[in-house]
Amino acid sequence: MTKETTPQAPQATPPFPPVLTRRTDAETCADPSSVMTLLADSDRTADGFTTYRSTFAKGAVGAPAHFHTKATELFFVISGSLQVLVGEEVTVLEAGDFLAVPPHTPHAFAAAPGCEADVLFVFTPGMGRFDYLRLLGRVMRGEADPKEIAESAERFDNHYCDSPAWRAALEASA
């Protein structure tokens, strides 16, 4: 007869304590076309990840073409539809779709034409991006100079670039 054993959890020390952010405790940032719910930033995850949720209104512009040199950006569409640029391809992500954009890949996103979108974003490794999201909100509300965004490119690993494919997609949906 064999003795059954229950597997034991490893005894190694995790790189950071478990992170729990209650909906009622999460900070929100808003601009005229979206609301961002800040869930966990790198200061709580030992630079492991940053995550937030964005709810985009119909016609929301999202983010222009950009890339990251260090971070992979993950998208999960909770509901609605999100138009995205990846490289030079423009496509629409629907509820339940997942996308991982590796470093150095130009990408952009906006609510798909005529749609709202609710999206979970994760960056790994994390880089203290909540300050960047707060800055974006201040710029969109006219409370900060847009030059501050360009000046923060290295700090937040967010580098804007030109994309004719993205410009054409936005013009077609206008």
Side-chain angles (χ1 to χ4, degrees):
M1 183 190 273
T2 35
K3 183 178 176 185
E4 300 270 336
T5 60
T6 304
Q8 297 292 318
Q11 298 300 312
T13 304
F16 54 88
V19 176
L20 170 63
T21 304
R22 299 279 184 193
R23 178 178 47 94
T24 54
D25 297 331
E27 177 185 349
T28 58
C29 296
D31 62 45
S33 63
S34 67
V35 175
M36 294 171 283
T37 304
L38 310 182
L39 299 170
D41 210 356
S42 62
D43 62 335
R44 293 178 61 197
T45 68
D47 292 336
F49 64 90
T50 295
T51 187
Y52 63 95
R53 179 178 180 175
S54 286
T55 326
F56 299 95
K58 286 182 185 177
V61 294
H66 65 285
F67 63 92
H68 311 289
T69 61
K70 299 174 186 80
T72 295
E73 185 170 359
L74 311 172
F75 298 70
F76 179 76
V77 180
I78 297 166
S79 65
S81 300
L82 188 73
Q83 186 174 33
V84 296
L85 165 78
V86 180
E88 287 304 313
E89 182 180 338
V90 176
T91 191
V92 174
L93 303 179
E94 302 292 345
D97 289 349
F98 170 80
L99 170 66
V101 179
H104 302 283
T105 304
H107 58 286
F109 54 88
C115 298
E116 298 175 340
D118 187 1
V119 182
L120 181 69
F121 292 89
V122 178
F123 290 82
T124 184
M127 292 190 68
R129 294 190 63 84
F130 284 5
D131 284 342
Y132 179 73
L133 299 173
R134 292 176 186 115
L135 173 60
L136 285 178
R138 288 194 311 276
V139 168
M140 294 288 286
R141 292 187 305 272
E143 299 167 2
D145 189 326
K147 285 190 256 180
E148 290 182 56
I149 293 173
E151 293 166 355
S152 70
E154 288 300 321
R155 177 177 171 210
F156 296 118
D157 189 26
N158 206 69
H159 309 274
Y160 290 99
C161 57
D162 183 43
S163 171
W166 187 243
R167 280 197 322 269
L170 293 179
E171 289 171 9
S173 64

